[in-house]
Amino acid sequence: MISARFLVLVGESLPLRRALVSSRNAWFHSSFHCKGQVETRNGSLSLSSIGFKSEIEPKDKVQSDKVVKPLGSSSESVKKKGKIGVINEKKAVQVRQKQSAEFAPFAANSFSELGVPQVLIERLENVGFNVPTDVQSAAIPTILKNHDVIIQSYTGSGKTLAYLLPILSAIGPLRNRDLEGNGGDGGKNGGVEAVVVAPSRELGMQIVREFEKILGMENKKVVQQLVGGANRTRQEEALKKNKPAIVVGTPGKIAELSASGKLRTHGCRYLVLDEVDELLSFNFREDMHRIIDHVGRRAGAGADPSSKRIERQLIMVSATVPFSVVRAARSWGREPLLVQAKNVVPLESIPPPKPVILSESSSGPSSKPTMPSQASVESLPPGLKHYYSVARLQHKVDTLRKCIHALDAKYVIAFMNHTKQLKDVVFKLEARGMKAAELHGDLGKLARSTTLKKFKNGEVRVLVTNELSARGLDVPECDLVVNIGLPTDSTHYAHRAGRTGRLGRKGTVLTICEEPELFVVKKMQKQLGIPIACCDFTDGKLLVTKEEKTLSTST
Ligand SMILES: Nc1ncnc2c1ncn2[C@@H]1O[C@H](COP(=O)(O)OP(=O)(O)OP(=O)(O)O)[C@@H](O)[C@H]1O
């Protein structure tokens, strides 16, 4: 049997693709392979300029804003695109002018300042969350004002809570009742009110735990996990019985349940795409089509004027935001804003990346290569130290071990590119008395969660893993990340590195490369705009042998 996904894969080079992919999908496709990065310094908004505090809009206005620009068919949006682009650009210039005059720092001293209801604040205090992080200070009021957003901030800066709190402020048992009436089924008709999509099972499970932390175990059924590999019937029965207001899952599972009619999402009010740049990758294309086209979009609304079209609020999240994400947000969202730790800017103000100038002879300002790298220094936690060490392939594990001893690292994540090699590294480390375990997607669900649990509770000192663990994995104690196999690009480097140095902690990243791989390290250093110092391990100490000063972000 040939699956639809396979047909699309084959169809990449066939006319068949046209028949399979609608014009909306064709746009979607274009967003999948675009490389580039957001220009982040195009002005910023203060809390008041997005309508928070001093400029609170009447509720009706917010409501009407939500329905003014329904997502039409893609052909409609493509037709209107040029015109809207010009209008938006004008608007963006006006906003930028306004911003420069009234910029105010976002950092808030408390969650109550941000409009989070008291009942949620009490829950936050119970788990020791008293002060919002910068990105939470910027994102929470913006989302509470019903704006579609891209949240971009470095790894471990608290992006999950930045969208979770506004969602729980509006739906579920701890909601602020004043925010009711913004549409949605309210879970009453069995429809969910928030869908959170994450690229991996582990990340999905982690997000569920973050929801549960705030909701408390008594409200456990408000949120349900929908991931592959779990018991399918049990998940479907739980959906039917518990009628969760929030579901968190992987694209495949959500798309499958939505297509079978077991997951009703048409009245959904929030669609969150966590690690959105990963979700836009080719692997998830088919499932993401389904999700974008169905979640929070009510069929037949156009034909019957009395049936109100309920639009979802779109929240996209990642530490790395290439321009393909900006384009996706512009197409699927309504006047989306880019939210960063100290900035909120309209997406219209972000110019597309400039093409790379390849000619060596060209000179002058206009010929400078301006294409930004995939990930930038803003994707990385500020407390990280980056090193590389040159070693032969057969000595890489030995270098890893020396580094762990030199730094006395307790929670180490070692990344490799090939699953088959993980076991060998674990074997070599254990042979030298160092507790290690492998983690990868081929392991069963139980083995994966047991290994993670052992790592988190300190039973396992070195977690040897592949790209599976690069995104989202939150082990706050992790103090060392080692690249035994080199990351393929700066985006992968940033997400791997971000497993350490979380939420203001210190962390070290070591890349162990062979002599011929050195240029990859240099390239990433340049793309990310960070110094990666050359080091060696002598007498149980890390010695810097060469300081790097190259900080150019040009590629
Ligand atoms: N205001 C806060 N106070 C204390 N701890 C917090 C706060 N907000 C989040 N945290 C904790 O900080 C850690 C990192 O948060 P989170 O995983 O949301 O980061 P992230 O920015 O999404 O990272 P990544 O990009 O790697 O997914 C988590 O353990 C979370 O519970």
Side-chain angles (χ1 to χ4, degrees):
M1 198 175 75
I2 303 170
S3 72
R5 185 175 302 185
F6 175 73
L7 279 174
V8 172
L9 275 166
V10 171
E12 274 298 281
S13 55
L14 295 175
L16 170 67
R17 183 169 173 272
R18 287 215 179 96
L20 286 168
V21 183
S22 69
S23 56
R24 174 175 194 84
N25 295 355
W27 182 88
F28 195 104
H29 172 73
S30 74
S31 78
F32 275 81
H33 298 286
C34 173
K35 290 188 177 182
Q37 204 205 347
V38 176
E39 184 74 47
T40 57
R41 298 282 173 239
N42 284 288
S44 48
L45 301 180
S46 68
L47 287 175
S48 63
S49 68
I50 56 164
F52 187 68
K53 280 189 174 170
S54 57
E55 255 182 47
I56 295 171
E57 290 172 86
K59 204 170 170 185
D60 292 349
K61 167 90 169 55
V62 176
Q63 292 279 343
S64 63
D65 280 349
K66 274 182 82 71
V67 288
V68 155
K69 273 181 65 193
L71 277 174
S73 67
S74 78
S75 51
E76 268 171 29
S77 50
V78 168
K79 262 188 253 160
K80 288 175 188 165
K81 213 173 168 185
K83 202 175 163 189
I84 290 171
V86 174
I87 296 166
N88 286 342
E89 186 48 40
K90 273 186 196 161
K91 263 194 209 161
V93 171
Q94 286 166 4
V95 173
R96 280 203 294 272
Q97 284 164 352
K98 193 177 171 190
Q99 290 155 8
S100 52
E102 57 174 285
F103 173 78
F106 283 106
N109 292 321
S110 68
F111 285 104
S112 61
E113 275 179 48
L114 305 175
V116 176
Q118 188 54 33
V119 60
L120 278 177
I121 292 170
E122 282 161 22
R123 299 294 175 113
L124 286 164
E125 284 169 359
N126 287 346
V127 288
F129 296 172
N130 300 309
V131 185
T133 66
D134 282 355
V135 72
Q136 290 162 3
S137 302
I140 292 169
T142 312
I143 298 172
L144 282 174
K145 289 291 296 174
N146 299 325
H147 288 284
D148 285 357
V149 292
I150 298 176
I151 305 175
Q152 187 277 324
S153 176
Y154 58 82
T155 51
S157 56
K159 294 186 290 295
T160 315
L161 223 54
Y163 64 77
L164 184 152
L165 289 175
I167 291 177
L168 289 182
S169 300
I171 62 179
L174 308 180
R175 70 188 178 277
N176 179 352
R177 309 269 162 180
D178 296 342
L179 295 175
E180 276 174 15
N182 281 358
D185 281 345
K188 288 171 207 133
N189 300 325
V192 297
E193 294 187 86
V195 171
V196 182
V197 192
S200 74
R201 205 167 16 175
E202 275 68 21
L203 186 52
M205 283 153 61
Q206 196 172 281
I207 296 166
V208 169
R209 277 197 297 275
E210 204 79 352
F211 269 107
E212 286 174 351
K213 227 190 257 178
I214 308 299
L215 281 165
M217 280 336 233
E218 71 278 18
N219 296 312
K220 205 173 178 292
K221 289 176 182 167
V222 172
V223 55
Q224 188 177 329
Q225 180 182 307
L226 299 174
V227 295
N231 186 310
R232 187 182 165 162
T233 332
R234 208 181 297 160
Q235 283 190 7
E236 290 175 6
E237 276 168 7
L239 268 181
K240 216 163 148 188
K241 193 168 147 230
N242 301 334
K243 299 192 178 12
I246 302 159
V247 294
V248 182
T250 47
K253 199 68 189 173
I254 291 176
E256 180 196 317
L257 287 166
S258 159
S260 68
K262 301 211 164 91
L263 178 69
R264 298 181 48 205
T265 57
H266 288 304
C268 181
R269 291 167 58 186
Y270 296 95
L271 174 59
V272 181
L273 308 180
D274 205 335
E275 304 293 346
V276 58
D277 51 331
E278 177 75 2
L279 290 174
L280 291 184
S281 73
F282 188 82
N283 289 351
F284 297 120
R285 195 169 68 159
E286 281 289 286
D287 298 326
M288 290 304 295
H289 280 320
R290 164 103 213 157
I291 291 167
I292 294 297
D293 281 346
H294 288 81
V295 173
R297 307 189 74 211
R298 186 158 278 174
D304 177 12
S306 66
S307 75
K308 226 165 108 187
R309 180 177 206 116
I310 296 162
E311 284 289 339
R312 69 193 170 205
Q313 191 175 341
L314 183 64
I315 301 168
M316 297 173 151
V317 187
S318 186
T320 47
V321 176
F323 200 74
S324 52
V325 171
V326 174
R327 280 196 300 185
R330 280 179 185 164
S331 175
W332 302 331
R334 290 151 301 148
E335 298 180 11
L337 301 171
L338 173 69
V339 178
Q340 295 174 306
K342 292 200 165 42
N343 292 306
V344 178
V345 295
L347 282 197
E348 285 74 22
S349 68
I350 297 167
K354 291 187 182 134
V356 184
I357 309 291
L358 295 172
S359 161
E360 278 182 22
S361 59
S362 53
S363 60
S366 60
S367 65
K368 274 187 189 158
T370 49
M371 176 93 164
S373 59
Q374 289 184 315
S376 68
V377 68
E378 278 133 21
S379 319
L380 290 161
L384 288 192
K385 283 192 174 142
H386 303 264
Y387 300 101
Y388 72 88
S389 186
V390 180
R392 287 190 176 175
L393 184 63
Q394 63 269 35
H395 297 149
K396 280 193 172 190
V397 180
D398 212 36
T399 306
L400 162 69
R401 215 176 37 77
K402 283 183 187 166
C403 178
I404 295 171
H405 283 310
L407 301 177
D408 193 24
K410 298 281 188 284
Y411 293 81
V412 184
I413 302 182
F415 284 100
M416 304 203 65
N417 296 328
H418 302 290
T419 310
K420 279 184 188 158
Q421 300 165 339
L422 305 182
K423 206 179 279 300
D424 186 46
V425 175
V426 171
F427 181 77
K428 284 181 179 160
L429 290 171
E430 295 236 305
R432 302 296 295 268
M434 197 170 272
K435 199 84 188 99
E438 57 175 326
L439 182 73
H440 53 86
D442 296 345
L443 294 176
K445 191 176 167 250
L446 187 66
R448 277 156 77 164
S449 54
T450 311
T451 303
L452 256 182
K453 212 180 275 172
K454 283 188 179 171
F455 181 58
K456 285 180 181 177
N457 69 23
E459 262 181 80
V460 163
R461 189 173 183 184
V462 190
L463 188 71
V464 187
T465 187
N466 58 9
E467 224 51 43
L468 171 82
S469 309
R471 285 201 182 237
L473 183 70
D474 180 48
V475 182
E477 296 81 10
C478 175
D479 46 359
L480 173 64
V481 162
V482 179
N483 293 311
I484 308 177
L486 263 61
T488 44
D489 56 33
S490 56
T491 299
H492 287 86
Y493 183 95
H495 286 281
R496 286 179 176 192
R499 295 318 98 210
T500 182
R502 295 180 74 74
L503 211 75
R505 291 176 181 86
K506 285 182 179 163
T508 305
V509 186
L510 172 73
T511 301
I512 308 174
C513 62
E514 291 182 78
E515 195 78 48
E517 294 174 326
L518 202 53
F519 80 98
V520 181
V521 178
K522 301 278 178 197
K523 194 175 158 200
M524 269 177 306
Q525 163 168 292
K526 210 172 167 192
Q527 286 180 339
L528 290 161
I530 51 161
I532 306 180
C534 181
C535 75
D536 216 338
F537 301 95
T538 318
D539 300 331
K541 288 197 177 70
L542 183 154
L543 298 175
V544 174
T545 53
K546 200 168 139 204
E547 287 283 0
E548 293 291 338
K549 291 196 177 68
T550 318
L551 288 172
S552 164
T553 50
S554 58
T555 49

